[in-house]
Amino acid sequence: MEKKWWKESVVYQIYPRSFCDSNGDGIGDLNGIRSKLDYLQNLGINVIWLSPVYKSPNDDNGYDISDYRDIMDDFGTMDDFDALLKEAHEHGIKIVMDLVVNHTSDEHKWFIESRSSKNNSKRDYYIWREPRNGKEPNNWGSCFSGSAWQFDETTGMYYLHCFSKKQPDLNWDNPKVRDEVFDMMTWWCDKGIDGFRMDVISMISKVEGLPDGKVWPGSKYGDLANTTNGPHVHDYLKEMNKRVLSKYDIMTVGECAGVTIGEAKKYASDDQTELNMVFQFEHMGLDYDENGKWTTKRFYLPDLKENLTKWEYELEGKAWNSLYWDNHDQPRIVSRLGDETPQSAKCIATILHMMKGTPYVYQGEELGMTNCRFGKIDNCRDIEVINAYKDIVGSGKRTEDDFMKAVEAKGRDNARTPMQWDSSENAGFTTGKPWIMVNPNYEKINAKAEVDDEDSVYNYYKRLINIRRNSDWSDIIVYGEYELLDPKDENVFVYLRKLNNKTLLVICNVSSKETEYRVPVDFKDEAALLISDNENVKLQKDIKLPPWFAGVWEINLNK
Ligand code: NOJ
């Protein structure tokens, strides 16, 4: 496999609205991010993925863009952006922009024109259909509840929106749309940005004729399978690659809802004709049930191991993997898989950071930030939760109490509470009134306390990142092959990494119980410790693992 800087990187995702507020309006902003570059450099990451900062009416917190070449008022100005980019580079940090081009905002000038008349030159920039028997053109449901179609009075037709009705889907089959998007991307690349994270990029090509989706039990609408990994998605990405991406030394990661391994090998194949890597979602669905995400069900470790391992094995030598637990759409992993203790945060981090692929850290994950007890729906801000609440609690399908438990376990707002900088009011995030509640545990979990504490989750992440990026083991951690041991064990996650004659052994006790473990490979006595959260635990054939123990050694296998 070819060596590349983005394979050797560690990415830190910033959700600007919740990161750091510099002007006291209760909303994070670009100057807030600038003020924290030292903190990020100290952590050791070398890439920031910036969730959308473009002009937006904020129906979906910036994932509804009304001008791709301007900055959201809440976040600052283009000058602030330019300064951020320059200063980040001075700190040795690259900036990857979020590229949201499956849809725009309904307030984007293209859509305003498109909806104005059937003959408008931009009409075909979006997906318009006549009513079917006086109703929606097909049965598709939106990801944010309700139909995926919105009737528009002006022309008496429906437009497609896979997300909120303020996020109309672009028509990628129209070459003019592709020209516009590629021009805009070129404009940003020429500015000097370092890559794109591509929002739901697997959804840009819809199956011709827009056939109905499957209606799953309990659902009123058809699914969106006919919008995902569609017939031309690879053609469009190859075209994008040829016309834009291949001209710059940038990194790309596609958010690919519904992606299978087979598809991922095409999107992220090592021959670099489309994208560098994809985000897959299979592991994130392993704690869903018949209510979809709205459940308190937890992961079953063997399932999680099986899934992550499948991706490691199948992409080996063919396509590059991305590794993440958290992002702005997911609850906090330390609550979801761990028990909210620092030990569990470190253990879970070790599992991920020692695997093969590019790791992503989501803001606050490096502090062990947890899910939030929102208590009532009024404390939530996310359009997905609010729509689902109306749908599920409003119609009497579930009680408020029961639904809110699921929200506190799986809702996206768990990731969006303000970054916890210190123990002062509002966690040092803002001097104003925060746009969303601060997690009350900020007095205990915050950056100020952790940066100075050697034993903190923050400093453990720092060590993990440092051994991946700057140690004698960097090569094996980035490029070594992965091999799972004991797949069925319900408590421990153990694997090897191998490169040339070197072998690493990773042992994580994913449990709040002490666990007796017999290492299933034979190794010589002398082993070098790379990292551990408890250095009193010595590696031996039979080993007593404290709760949430994590350790990584270089071993010599007995052949
Ligand atoms: C995926 C993004 O990560 C999510 O936050 C957003 O709501 C949808 N795409 C729609 O853009």
Side-chain angles (χ1 to χ4, degrees):
M1 273 206 135
E2 226 187 310
K3 291 198 167 183
K4 293 279 182 195
W5 64 263
W6 41 264
K7 294 180 180 173
E8 297 167 9
S9 293
V10 178
V11 184
Y12 186 91
Q13 184 193 350
I14 292 185
Y15 194 68
R17 178 161 288 268
S18 303
F19 191 63
C20 179
D21 174 20
S22 72
N23 63 357
D25 65 357
I27 298 173
D29 47 44
L30 296 175
N31 288 336
I33 300 171
R34 284 169 70 192
S35 72
K36 299 296 181 187
L37 289 170
D38 287 347
Y39 168 87
L40 296 174
Q41 186 179 29
N42 182 53
L43 180 62
I45 59 94
N46 63 317
V47 179
I48 291 173
W49 149 25
L50 205 53
S51 276
V53 295
Y54 315 90
K55 185 88 59 198
S56 163
N58 277 311
D59 191 53
D60 184 21
N61 289 353
Y63 283 91
D64 48 319
I65 296 169
S66 55
D67 187 344
Y68 289 102
R69 300 183 198 216
D70 203 353
I71 299 293
M72 188 191 300
D73 293 333
D74 289 338
F75 292 170
T77 63
M78 193 57 85
D79 285 346
D80 298 336
F81 179 84
D82 292 339
L84 169 64
L85 185 62
K86 181 167 166 281
E87 289 165 19
H89 287 168
E90 284 162 7
H91 281 77
I93 297 174
K94 295 176 187 285
I95 294 207
V96 164
M97 303 291 282
D98 219 308
L99 182 78
V100 188
V101 288
N102 172 68
H103 44 269
T104 68
S105 161
D106 65 339
E107 298 181 32
H108 193 290
K109 62 180 184 216
W110 300 338
F111 190 73
I112 295 172
E113 280 196 50
S114 182
R115 84 186 327 173
S116 67
S117 86
K118 288 188 183 175
N119 306 324
N120 186 277
S121 62
K122 303 247 176 346
R123 182 65 170 182
D124 202 28
Y125 272 37
Y126 294 84
I127 301 173
W128 293 95
R129 290 292 182 276
E130 296 288 352
R132 179 172 76 176
N133 307 324
K135 296 210 180 80
E136 289 80 9
N138 71 19
N139 73 354
W140 295 354
S142 129
C143 294
F144 294 159
S145 306
S147 167
W149 294 95
Q150 177 67 22
F151 184 70
D152 199 52
E153 298 281 344
T154 318
T155 54
M157 286 175 76
Y158 283 88
Y159 66 85
L160 178 69
H161 60 89
C162 291
F163 294 87
S164 98
K165 60 176 190 263
K166 286 184 67 63
Q167 292 168 298
D169 280 51
L170 282 165
N171 175 16
W172 273 71
D173 296 334
N174 180 348
K176 287 198 200 123
V177 166
R178 305 202 296 276
D179 289 347
E180 297 263 19
V181 170
F182 300 158
D183 278 358
M184 175 271 286
M185 292 172 70
T186 302
W187 186 82
W188 280 100
C189 289
D190 287 342
K191 226 180 206 312
I193 61 143
D194 304 288
F196 295 107
R197 173 268 184 188
M198 303 188 188
D199 192 66
V200 288
I201 203 70
S202 54
M203 292 174 75
I204 58 175
S205 168
K206 280 77 177 169
V207 172
E208 209 174 310
L210 312 184
D212 281 343
K214 177 171 170 182
V215 183
W216 294 85
S219 174
K220 190 168 152 204
Y221 296 97
D223 69 18
L224 289 176
N226 289 322
T227 69
T228 314
N229 305 309
H232 303 295
V233 67
H234 298 290
D235 301 333
Y236 298 156
L237 289 177
K238 285 198 171 68
E239 185 183 343
M240 178 196 281
N241 187 292
K242 205 158 146 218
R243 291 176 56 186
V244 188
L245 309 177
S246 59
K247 303 195 169 140
Y248 302 89
D249 182 22
I250 56 174
M251 99 169 226
T252 53
V253 49
E255 190 208 22
C256 290
V259 70
T260 57
I261 296 218
E263 285 295 324
K265 285 183 196 159
K266 298 187 203 158
Y267 286 117
S269 132
D270 212 45
D271 63 13
Q272 311 295 313
T273 53
E274 297 185 27
L275 306 176
N276 297 150
M277 59 190 119
V278 299
F279 289 133
Q280 64 95 6
F281 287 89
E282 287 179 351
H283 65 308
M284 293 281 105
L286 295 175
D287 58 357
Y288 289 12
D289 65 11
E290 63 281 1
N291 289 313
K293 74 190 286 183
W294 304 121
T295 168
T296 54
K297 184 181 161 197
R298 285 176 64 90
F299 289 121
Y300 176 57
L301 189 67
D303 290 349
L304 192 59
K305 292 198 284 190
E306 185 189 10
N307 186 267
L308 295 175
T309 299
K310 179 179 87 175
W311 282 84
E312 294 279 301
Y313 286 172
E314 298 267 343
L315 296 193
E316 176 60 49
K318 301 192 181 82
W320 195 249
N321 210 5
S322 68
L323 305 167
Y324 72 94
W325 291 126
D326 282 3
N327 63 41
H328 65 292
D329 292 332
Q330 300 295 337
R332 296 281 184 180
I333 198 65
V334 68
S335 307
R336 191 178 188 177
L337 176 61
D339 65 356
E340 302 196 341
T341 57
Q343 288 76 10
S344 67
K346 295 176 194 173
C347 171
I348 294 165
T350 311
I351 298 172
L352 186 111
H353 283 259
M354 288 297 130
M355 282 192 169
K356 182 165 186 172
T358 300
Y360 289 72
V361 180
Y362 177 70
Q363 64 185 46
E365 184 187 331
E366 78 281 17
L367 304 175
M369 273 180 65
T370 67
N371 282 352
C372 185
R373 318 286 176 253
F374 292 101
K376 50 182 193 219
I377 193 72
D378 288 351
N379 285 331
C380 295
R381 295 288 175 270
D382 174 20
I383 183 167
E384 184 191 39
V385 165
I386 293 167
N387 286 355
Y389 178 90
K390 285 186 204 143
D391 185 25
I392 296 168
V393 181
S395 65
K397 274 188 238 156
R398 288 171 74 176
T399 63
E400 159 139 23
D401 226 38
D402 179 45
F403 181 72
M404 283 311 292
K405 285 204 182 81
V407 168
E408 289 168 359
K410 300 283 159 61
R412 306 197 298 180
D413 278 335
N414 286 301
R416 300 177 181 185
T417 60
M419 178 74 178
Q420 294 167 202
W421 291 109
D422 58 39
S423 59
S424 69
E425 209 186 342
N426 297 323
F429 160 71
T430 180
T431 52
K433 185 173 167 357
W435 70 277
I436 186 171
M437 72 182 273
V438 176
N439 193 321
N441 63 19
Y442 71 91
E443 287 183 20
K444 220 173 96 209
I445 301 175
N446 66 66
K448 180 141 190 280
E450 294 198 26
V451 168
D452 297 332
D453 171 4
E454 261 205 37
D455 260 353
S456 65
V457 178
Y458 174 90
N459 277 309
Y460 191 83
Y461 266 81
K462 185 172 165 174
R463 283 161 60 206
L464 278 175
I465 294 168
N466 189 45
I467 50 172
R468 171 177 284 261
R469 295 202 52 229
N470 312 303
S471 78
D472 292 347
W473 294 288
S474 296
D475 254 9
I476 185 167
I477 295 172
V478 175
Y479 294 107
E481 279 192 37
Y482 163 101
E483 182 185 331
L484 182 71
L485 301 176
D486 287 322
K488 298 269 179 283
D489 193 300
E490 294 184 2
N491 294 316
V492 290
F493 200 145
V494 182
Y495 59 86
L496 304 175
R497 299 293 308 279
K498 290 182 178 167
L499 188 71
N500 305 325
N501 291 325
K502 272 193 179 182
T503 306
L504 300 184
L505 170 65
V506 181
I507 301 184
C508 297
N509 179 16
V510 192
S511 145
S512 47
K513 287 179 281 221
E514 186 181 79
T515 305
E516 310 257 354
Y517 184 65
R518 162 161 279 226
V519 182
V521 288
D522 281 323
F523 50 89
K524 300 201 171 72
D525 275 348
E526 73 284 10
L529 179 68
L530 276 71
I531 186 166
S532 162
D533 69 338
N534 182 342
E535 297 191 5
N536 296 325
V537 177
K538 299 284 170 248
L539 178 63
Q540 46 202 3
K541 182 84 187 158
D542 289 294
I543 175 169
K544 212 178 254 172
L545 307 172
W548 301 110
F549 170 80
V552 184
W553 296 265
E554 181 179 350
I555 54 171
N556 284 310
L557 289 172
N558 280 326
K559 293 275 148 68

